[in-house]
Amino acid sequence: MKYSKATDYALHTMLLMAKDGSETSISVVELADKQKVSPTYLSKILTKLSKEGLV
């Protein structure tokens, strides 16, 4: 199945957040570092996920 890089990063980010499982916040920088992606780019993806109620 083919999907965009943004979709790939979105899915991986949600998995990382679920795996962390803590009640505390995790920074965009930390999530971006784990995926080796720009924090600015990941922030835009997270904004879309947040607007849709996924995170």
Side-chain angles (χ1 to χ4, degrees):
M1 177 158 87
K2 283 189 163 186
Y3 49 88
S4 70
K5 284 281 187 186
T7 302
D8 184 53
Y9 292 134
L11 291 170
H12 280 96
T13 299
M14 289 191 295
L15 287 171
L16 285 170
M17 292 171 75
K19 185 180 175 185
D20 182 48
S22 69
E23 294 292 321
T24 60
S25 299
I26 184 168
S27 73
V28 173
V29 174
E30 188 176 344
L31 288 167
D33 285 344
K34 289 182 179 187
Q35 297 183 75
K36 297 181 180 28
V37 64
S38 162
T40 303
Y41 183 54
L42 189 59
S43 179
K44 290 178 184 179
I45 293 169
L46 284 167
T47 298
K48 290 179 183 180
L49 290 173
S50 179
K51 285 182 180 178
E52 293 299 323
L54 296 170
V55 293

